Amino acid sequence: MTASPSDNPRAALFSAFGCYVLWGLMPLLFMGQHAAGFDALEILAHRTVWAAPVAALLVLAARQGGQVAAVFRDPRTLGWLALSTVLIGTNWGVYVWATTHQATLEASLGYYINPLLNMVVGLWLFRERIDRFGWIAVGLAAVGVLLQALALGRPPWISLILAVSFATYGVIRKRVPVEAQAGLLVECLLLAPFGVVWLLWLAQTGQGVAFDDPVHWLWALANGPATVLPLALFAWAARRMPLSTLGFIQFLAPTLQFAVGVWAGEALTPLRVVSFAFIWGGAAVFAAGALWRRRAERRALAASAEPI
């Protein structure tokens, strides 16, 4: 029997690469809007507003509308998703501000350390084990963050806020029994009213760039699919391929973000290069550990399948 498209590992791999490439190149979208006159708050407002209808379409396609309705009937689940909404809204806002204020390099650092922070959170909250690869990766990342602080002359707040907010967001979403698309739609519906109020105020005071001409409207509308599509691709891939493989691929996004920051002419001092070298070392050790564990699992599975 031939495999269906949904069971195709190559399709899952392309989806994983697709989501991380889109996340990695997203600073270009925000930089383009900023060059067209949008400020960070207006971009964030459009992101919250136009993500909602795109997320709704995905929920309808996945037939998860019942889950969304169930969330609004369950105060406990809704409360947890309200907290995750605050975290993802903070993450989006800080990221938009960073990419429109010559701080994309610092933002990329946050997403390099995020998977390493996830390991520490897993040890602390879920009693997950960290092997020698993990501890070496975390140690290298810690040195990189310290050197980054020395290079900037201050703690790398953008990196830390992005990493902590997204790691905490992941913990909450791991505990809430709601599918990815349904949960995202609930979060968008909770965020959208704030975005609508802000955009109405901008329109009333004549400060809204999106209302100037059709090209600006296209810039604004692009925030919807740019926000939702990568997450949908990630959710689709995560259900069809090993998380260890995803853990290896996820470093593609901050690498592309770093390249965009360099391309945009952000300051890259020798000390910052050294700090990123430690971060890249930690990422490489993390990826090597994931690959080693995957191969060990395959060897164990093959050994168990051998006849006695």
Side-chain angles (χ1 to χ4, degrees), residues 165-178:
S165 62
F166 202 67
T168 310
Y169 173 80
V171 169
I172 293 174
R173 291 303 305 272
K174 184 181 177 75
R175 289 178 172 270
V176 176
V178 179

Side-chain angles (χ1 to χ4, degrees), residues 165-271:
S165 62
F166 202 67
T168 310
Y169 173 80
V171 169
I172 293 174
R173 291 303 305 272
K174 184 181 177 75
R175 289 178 172 270
V176 176
V178 179
E179 293 289 341
Q181 287 97 330
L184 177 64
L185 177 56
V186 172
E187 290 163 348
C188 289
L189 291 174
L190 294 175
L191 279 173
F194 297 97
V196 169
V197 169
W198 185 252
L199 292 180
L200 288 175
W201 183 83
L202 290 177
Q204 187 176 10
T205 58
Q207 300 180 58
V209 176
F211 312 110
D212 291 346
D213 61 56
V215 174
H216 287 171
W217 262 114
L218 290 176
W219 274 119
L221 292 174
N223 287 289
T227 297
V228 176
L229 182 58
L231 187 63
L233 289 172
F234 172 80
W236 195 88
R239 289 180 171 274
R240 292 165 175 83
M241 65 189 306
L243 288 179
S244 58
T245 306
L246 271 178
F248 183 86
I249 299 172
Q250 69 184 331
F251 291 108
L252 177 62
T255 300
L256 289 172
Q257 293 164 8
F258 179 89
V260 170
V262 173
W263 170 81
E266 294 184 16
L268 191 59
T269 63
L271 188 54

Side-chain angles (χ1 to χ4, degrees), residues 105-109 141-157 159 258 267-269 271-277 279:
L105 292 178
E106 191 175 344
S108 74
L109 174 68
V143 174
V145 171
L146 178 60
L147 291 175
Q148 186 79 188
L150 294 173
L152 293 171
R154 58 170 175 78
W157 294 117
S159 307
F258 179 89
L268 191 59
T269 63
L271 188 54
R272 291 195 82 179
V273 172
V274 173
S275 75
F276 271 102
I279 294 295

Side-chain angles (χ1 to χ4, degrees), residues 77-134:
T77 302
L78 184 60
W80 279 112
L81 284 178
L83 180 56
S84 70
T85 299
V86 173
L87 290 166
I88 200 63
T90 300
N91 185 276
W92 289 358
V94 171
Y95 188 68
V96 170
W97 188 93
T99 56
T100 56
H101 287 77
Q102 290 284 296
T104 305
L105 292 178
E106 191 175 344
S108 74
L109 174 68
Y111 289 110
Y112 273 120
I113 64 178
N114 176 251
L116 307 177
L117 181 61
N118 284 339
M119 285 196 299
V120 176
V121 171
L123 173 68
W124 178 41
L125 291 180
F126 303 112
R127 299 295 186 266
E128 297 176 358
R129 292 183 60 189
I130 298 180
D131 59 19
R132 63 181 183 277
F133 290 102

